[in-house]
Amino acid sequence: MKDSLIVVSGGMDSITLLYEYADRIALAVSFDYGANHNHKEIPFARIHCERLKIKHIVIPLAFVPFRNGIMLSIACGIAESNGLKQVLIANHGGDHAIYPDCRSEFIQAMDKAMRSGTYENIGIFAPYTDISKTEIASRGKKLNLNYAETWSCYKGGEKHCGKCGTCVERKEALRDAGIEDQTEYED
């Protein structure tokens, strides 16, 4: 039953979640929050949603701090107005040290707030909260995902820089999951 909305960026994690739970997803929402890499990520989100025949919308927002809190709040309202029961998000264990709004305590608190603040008891489904990016890549491998059709680099250049923290994490996850990295990196 398609009773879910997914927050999908176009990165490895959210695209894996999109495919893993496609049979439950009625609507996908991407947020253009003004980051350098949004113009690279969002087209990948659109491509994958089109392939899966999942309606995709993009919402412009000019912010970065507390972005998951803001995005989850908006996604919750959109879910409720569309008769959906839950919001999927692909935060993962590797995000915890960097982003406080990716930690399990935060996700649990937002889930409680959303459930108590909606008539339909809209909740959060965040199955990657306590797993690594390598484990996510392993799930994607089982789904035959082509991670070259995702974006990770926060620099937002023509190609992945290959040197920033997200690029390094991407390379390590793909390597450790036994996936040939077909990402185009700058030389």
Side-chain angles (χ1 to χ4, degrees), residues 145-149 160 170 174 179-185:
L145 291 183
N146 177 1
Y147 284 120
E149 294 181 328
H160 284 79
R170 176 189 181 96
L174 293 173
I179 299 170
E180 181 184 344
D181 191 352
Q182 299 177 0
T183 307
E184 290 188 32
Y185 296 102

Side-chain angles (χ1 to χ4, degrees), residues 61-166:
L61 292 171
F63 64 89
V64 173
F66 194 66
R67 70 177 182 259
N68 282 341
I70 296 166
M71 291 187 294
L72 285 167
S73 297
I74 293 169
C76 177
I78 293 170
E80 187 167 36
S81 66
N82 282 276
L84 304 174
K85 301 294 181 198
Q86 66 182 352
V87 174
L88 280 65
I89 185 168
N91 61 302
H92 65 84
D95 292 335
H96 298 182
I98 303 167
Y99 307 111
D101 61 351
C102 290
R103 296 180 184 142
S104 57
E105 314 84 76
F106 175 79
I107 297 298
Q108 290 167 9
M110 280 299 293
D111 179 70
K112 185 177 179 183
M114 287 168 46
R115 287 180 187 281
S116 62
T118 57
Y119 291 110
E120 296 299 320
N121 197 35
I122 310 285
I124 296 174
F125 182 58
Y128 299 168
T129 300
D130 295 317
I131 67 172
S132 69
K133 196 171 196 81
T134 298
E135 291 172 273
I136 294 169
S138 295
R139 290 180 182 206
K141 183 178 182 179
K142 290 177 186 167
L143 295 165
N144 295 314
L145 291 183
N146 177 1
Y147 284 120
E149 294 181 328
T150 64
W151 189 265
S152 297
C153 184
Y154 281 179
K155 304 275 185 196
E158 270 308 301
K159 298 178 182 178
H160 284 79
C161 76
K163 297 176 180 117
C164 70
T166 54

